[in-house]
Amino acid sequence: VLKPEIRENYPIILQDIFTNTAPLKWRIRKMLASQLKPLCELYNAESIFKSINPMAFTCLEDSVSIVRETTVDAVAAMIIKMYKAKLDDNENSMEDNDKTDHDSIAEWLDSLIDDVIELGKNDKSYYSRQLFIHITCTLVNSWKYNHNSFTTDLSFGNLLDCFFNLSNDDVLNVQITLAQALTDLPAW
């Protein structure tokens, strides 16, 4: 088991490997993308936002679809982990009267959600919109699995609005992906 000081450098090493991997070595990028979700369990909200988040969005833009698809679970895991950190920090800040960390975590969470929504609004790339659909479904299903209900307290109204607006997308594949995804969502 790595010491925390050494462990903090691990995402930097992964990013270096990812950026220096030749474009034809997609299997290495897929393997790295598959490690992002488990890494969310090991790191705090700040490390996730500053290290894992940029790597995940780089993977979401990869030229190979399996690398992009592998990253979907990690993005949902990042949002859930940061939301839990926000709740935990909110409870602690009430006791300590320290809102600084809470504000940072809330800003990071909002920024992450905004980045995901931008995927759903991307007019240039239909596969970004499809990834957005998969991320949203994974997030809803993960939240349901972890907490037995999808709470409106998550303030994901904009995320869900964008999700349902894709039913009017110009690209038929996006509409089909949404229709398939709706069958996988839990009953609310």
Side-chain angles (χ1 to χ4, degrees):
V1 178
L2 298 175
K3 294 179 184 177
E5 311 85 52
I6 296 171
R7 189 174 31 178
E8 288 299 319
N9 292 326
Y10 186 66
I12 297 167
I13 294 167
L14 282 181
Q15 180 68 35
D16 188 45
I17 292 170
F18 189 85
T19 55
N20 292 322
T21 300
L24 295 177
K25 306 266 184 185
W26 64 268
R27 288 178 183 86
I28 294 172
R29 294 192 310 277
K30 179 185 178 254
M31 187 268 311
L32 294 173
S34 70
Q35 290 187 21
L36 296 178
K37 182 180 178 184
L39 286 175
C40 290
E41 298 300 319
L42 297 175
Y43 292 96
N44 62 22
E46 181 177 9
S47 296
I48 289 172
F49 184 75
K50 292 182 178 178
S51 299
I52 298 172
N53 180 38
M55 229 181 322
F57 278 88
T58 300
C59 290
L60 288 174
E61 296 172 356
D62 198 88
S63 60
V64 178
S65 65
I66 192 70
V67 176
R68 295 189 303 262
E69 293 165 6
T70 302
T71 311
V72 166
D73 290 340
V75 176
M78 288 189 305
I79 292 172
I80 289 174
K81 176 78 177 215
M82 292 183 77
Y83 182 73
K84 287 179 184 178
K86 178 182 167 185
L87 290 179
D88 292 345
D89 199 57
N90 190 25
E91 291 175 11
N92 294 338
S93 67
M94 287 182 182
E95 297 169 6
D96 301 339
N97 293 327
D98 179 21
K99 296 265 185 199
T100 308
D101 289 340
H102 178 70
D103 291 343
S104 296
I105 293 172
E107 289 173 13
W108 295 332
L109 179 61
D110 290 343
S111 176
L112 180 56
I113 291 171
D114 289 344
D115 289 345
V116 171
I117 290 172
E118 284 304 310
L119 288 172
K121 293 181 177 179
N122 186 341
D123 291 335
K124 296 176 184 165
S125 167
Y126 76 91
Y127 66 79
S128 290
R129 296 190 302 276
Q130 288 177 309
L131 285 172
F132 167 79
I133 291 168
H134 292 299
I135 290 168
T136 304
C137 285
T138 303
L139 178 63
V140 170
N141 286 326
S142 295
W143 191 260
K144 171 112 176 132
Y145 176 75
N146 290 328
H147 298 85
N148 212 15
S149 69
F150 187 73
T151 173
T152 55
D153 185 35
L154 280 174
S155 64
F156 289 138
N158 292 336
L159 185 96
L160 293 175
D161 286 345
C162 184
F163 178 78
F164 290 115
N165 285 338
L166 289 175
S167 64
N168 299 319
D169 197 272
D170 294 337
V171 178
L172 186 58
N173 284 356
V174 174
Q175 292 178 13
I176 291 171
T177 300
L178 179 64
Q180 289 171 336
L182 287 172
T183 63
D184 294 335
L185 288 178
W188 292 347

